Amino acid sequence: MIEVTHLTKIYGDHTAVDDLSFTIERGKIYGLLGPNGAGKSTTMNIVTGCLAATSGTVRVNGHDIYTDPLAAKRCIGYLPEIPPLYTDMTPYEFLTFVAEAKGVPYEEATRQIKEVIELTRLEEMQNRLIKNLSKGYRQRVGIAQAMLGNPDIIILDEPTVGLDPKQIIEIRDLIRMLGESKTVILSSHILAEISAVCDHVLIISHGKLVANDTIANLEGSVSEHNHLHISIRGELDAVTAVLANVEGIISCEQVPNNNGTLDLKLTVSKERDLRDDIFFAMAEHKIPVLSMELEELTLEDIFLSLTDGEGTVSDPDTPADGEEDATGEEEEEEKEEDAQ
């Protein structure tokens, strides 16, 4: 559905996107990950036609985003990180305006607006001015406008920012539902959100694509082994002698502690769970096993491994200090309005 080929974006002497190539397939939910300044927002803005690339091509459903922009953009519904809302309108008025701007016929627009308002739980707020809505409800209006026009591809940049836990669950459910009939690209700094919702993960670091696979396949590529933490009441020599006869243990490392137990970190094969084997081997030698915990590789571990623990850096994607301050002031104003 989307073909990105040798995409590059340069700001002065800074390369925000560096020779990026990937393909987005139909009917999947993609998670786009990367540290601050990695080039995620720049990539999204180029793919949606909001920003010109220095070089490279983007094709959406076969339409070039530069030579055939209208056809390409009709296939995309986009929610930027900061929703572009007209705050003096109500959600219903704004969605009507967006539907007209997208060229949706009147009767179809009426049906779609009613549908997206229901899906995003905006019924009670649809006739209030957007400027009087909380940040969470403004985010819902942004998601609703992205869905208008029935695009094949929905691109969401940080869609759950500012939402409470209940709203986050509702939006995740909505994204899963959208993924049943559409292709969804989701950018988020919340790694648990990507794990919970996405079928496929793209990880960008320093403007380059460092991973493009399912989470399960990424786990296998980052680490060939598992780690098993065990706590035992016994002597080190006796315990290691027993463990030496358990097939699948690759290495054993003692973990210092002050609680009088013997704590070990075992590197074990991924092929099968060795906890039963270890338990029965220890029981045979009357050595008490107090606990065993298998250390599972998380998306955060994969992310840090592939990005070399890259932290936050400055980037043209990142708002200037003044812009961040202004956003903070707006949030304080929203809280005061909600309290009133």
Side-chain angles (χ1 to χ4, degrees):
M1 297 202 73
I2 298 179
E3 296 178 21
V4 175
T5 307
H6 300 300
L7 197 65
T8 299
K9 179 63 178 179
I10 300 173
Y11 296 96
D13 59 354
H14 174 75
T15 302
V17 178
D18 189 0
D19 196 30
L20 204 62
S21 296
F22 59 86
T23 300
I24 301 296
E25 298 178 2
R26 184 182 300 274
K28 292 184 179 180
I29 302 177
Y30 287 80
L32 184 61
L33 286 173
N36 287 338
K40 302 187 305 300
S41 293
T42 298
T43 301
M44 283 188 160
N45 283 326
I46 293 173
V47 168
T48 55
C50 299
L51 182 67
T54 303
S55 62
T57 61
V58 177
R59 298 184 68 82
V60 182
N61 275 355
H63 306 288
D64 190 289
I65 196 69
Y66 304 118
T67 61
D68 194 6
L70 291 179
K73 291 178 182 180
R74 285 193 186 99
C75 302
I76 296 174
Y78 181 38
L79 172 67
E81 185 173 355
I82 301 176
L85 307 176
Y86 291 113
T87 57
D88 287 331
M89 291 182 174
T90 66
Y92 190 88
E93 290 170 341
F94 176 71
L95 293 174
T96 300
F97 166 76
V98 172
E100 291 177 357
K102 290 186 175 183
V104 182
Y106 177 78
E107 291 184 1
E108 178 64 15
T110 302
R111 185 192 65 79
Q112 287 189 22
I113 291 168
K114 182 177 184 295
E115 182 178 305
V116 299
I117 284 176
E118 290 176 353
L119 288 172
T120 53
R121 305 288 197 273
L122 282 169
E123 295 97 331
E124 295 181 3
M125 302 294 173
Q126 62 181 311
N127 294 315
R128 290 185 60 181
L129 292 178
I130 293 174
K131 66 182 178 183
N132 294 329
L133 299 181
S134 68
K135 186 175 182 181
Y137 276 109
R138 293 188 192 189
Q139 199 75 358
R140 294 188 189 202
V141 176
I143 294 174
Q145 65 81 26
M147 296 166 61
L148 289 174
N150 196 27
D152 295 327
I153 303 161
I154 303 289
I155 299 179
L156 307 173
D157 195 355
E158 301 287 351
T160 58
V161 169
L163 305 187
D164 63 39
K166 183 175 182 295
Q167 292 171 334
I168 289 174
I169 292 172
E170 291 174 350
I171 295 301
R172 288 180 182 175
D173 290 341
L174 174 59
I175 292 170
R176 291 190 191 97
M177 184 202 68
L178 290 173
E180 294 175 1
S181 57
K182 301 181 185 298
T183 299
V184 180
I185 303 175
L186 166 66
S187 171
S188 177
H189 285 94
I190 305 172
L191 300 183
E193 184 166 280
I194 297 294
S195 296
V197 174
C198 297
D199 306 312
H200 208 94
V201 177
L202 304 170
I203 300 179
I204 297 176
S205 179
H206 298 294
K208 291 182 176 293
L209 187 68
V210 296
N212 181 3
D213 212 331
T214 63
I215 295 175
N217 288 342
L218 287 175
E219 288 176 354
S221 65
V222 170
S223 175
E224 298 179 355
H225 311 296
N226 285 330
H227 291 110
L228 179 63
H229 298 267
I230 65 173
S231 181
I232 297 175
R233 187 172 286 118
E235 298 296 326
L236 178 61
D237 290 343
V239 170
T240 53
V242 174
L243 292 177
N245 294 319
V246 178
E247 186 178 352
I249 297 177
I250 297 164
S251 67
C252 176
E253 175 187 351
Q254 184 175 3
V255 180
N257 66 63
N258 297 317
N259 56 17
T261 63
L262 177 63
D263 290 352
L264 302 173
K265 179 180 179 181
L266 308 181
T267 301
V268 299
S269 170
K270 273 189 171 183
E271 294 182 359
R272 63 191 182 94
D273 191 342
L274 297 181
R275 285 177 289 185
D276 287 351
D277 294 351
I278 293 172
F279 176 83
F280 289 119
M282 292 297 171
E284 187 177 342
H285 291 80
K286 294 183 169 40
I287 300 175
V289 177
L290 304 180
S291 67
M292 286 192 285
E293 182 180 356
L294 188 64
E295 180 182 308
E296 296 182 355
L297 197 65
T298 65
L299 184 57
E300 182 177 0
D301 299 324
I302 298 170
F303 177 80
L304 292 174
S305 173
L306 293 173
T307 59
D308 298 322
E310 181 187 349
T312 302
V313 295
S314 61
D315 184 83
D317 292 345
T318 306
D321 292 340
E323 293 173 337
E324 291 176 348
D325 292 341
T327 302
E329 291 171 4
E330 289 176 1
E331 291 178 2
E332 291 301 320
E333 291 173 2
E334 290 168 11
K335 291 177 183 177
E336 292 176 4
E337 290 167 355
D338 291 342
Q340 293 171 0

